[in-house]
Amino acid sequence: MHAEQDKLACAEVHIGVSAHYARLWRYCTALAGQRDWADDLVQAACLRAMEKCAQFRIGTHVDRWLFTIARTTWLNELRSRKVRQGGGLVPVEDTDLPSPAPGTEVNILAREVLSQVTKLPEAQRLTVFLVYVEGYSYAEAAGHLDIPVGTVMSRLATARRTLNAKLEGKGP
């Protein structure tokens, strides 16, 4: 019975990795802020998910599980590289945004917005990404980040104020 459950869990993970690969890549790009690091991170997260597929609980969300693996992997990488002490992100202009055929203007606007978002502190950047890009509810984002819902709301409000100030030319 247990072996059969492991098989089903692994099958669900394999299907989920394929189905959510683009979203996982975007999330890894938001985490890492640099395309080559994101490529490595998404590869490491997929590999880890395949290796640990028997630990996946059938009936839960594969995408959330993958995002958690990617975030944990990234935090471990940050600790080992000590990236938090500076220089961890590159300008979004140097990052290609994979997109299913939007027009040039959409890509330019997306790059401008992403450029401003990537300048936010990591906590705000991840919260903005989960809620506004991936469409998670405040409660879901709070669960993913292991923080209270009020903190999610506060981070989003602060991020909106910062972005509005920059767009109006009042910010740094």
Side-chain angles (χ1 to χ4, degrees):
M1 176 79 170
H2 188 58
E4 184 64 30
Q5 226 173 6
D6 289 351
K7 260 185 165 177
L8 291 173
C10 287
E12 193 167 334
V13 168
H14 287 255
I15 292 168
V17 166
S18 296
H20 300 291
Y21 187 84
R23 290 180 64 211
L24 181 62
W25 189 90
R26 285 193 309 264
Y27 182 68
C28 290
T29 302
L31 280 171
Q34 193 170 328
R35 186 183 178 127
D36 58 339
W37 289 359
D39 291 342
D40 292 344
L41 180 57
V42 76
Q43 183 179 5
C46 289
L47 179 62
R48 182 88 172 152
M50 299 296 184
E51 290 172 346
K52 301 295 182 181
C53 64
Q55 294 177 2
F56 177 73
R57 283 187 275 146
I58 298 172
T60 61
H61 298 275
V62 176
D63 59 339
R64 294 178 192 168
W65 190 67
L66 291 169
F67 283 16
T68 299
I69 290 172
R71 183 171 178 261
T72 303
T73 303
W74 177 245
L75 291 174
N76 289 338
E77 183 65 23
L78 283 177
R79 285 184 199 105
S80 68
R81 290 185 186 187
K82 300 190 191 272
V83 172
R84 288 185 186 190
Q85 296 173 352
L89 298 176
V90 297
V92 73
E93 294 81 23
D94 296 342
T95 303
D96 290 330
L97 297 174
S99 176
T104 302
E105 292 174 5
V106 173
N107 267 339
I108 290 170
L109 177 61
R111 284 176 187 240
E112 289 175 14
V113 171
L114 187 57
S115 177
Q116 294 302 316
V117 171
T118 59
K119 294 175 185 172
L120 293 171
E122 180 180 350
Q124 290 176 22
R125 186 175 69 242
L126 290 178
T127 307
V128 164
F129 179 79
L130 287 173
V131 174
Y132 296 135
V133 176
E134 290 302 326
Y136 286 121
S137 69
Y138 290 1
E140 291 169 331
H144 177 71
L145 296 170
D146 198 27
I147 58 174
V149 174
T151 303
V152 168
M153 295 167 66
S154 175
R155 287 179 183 176
L156 292 173
T158 303
R160 283 191 301 268
R161 276 194 306 273
T162 302
L163 293 171
N164 281 335
K166 287 181 181 181
L167 292 174
E168 292 173 3
K170 297 178 183 175

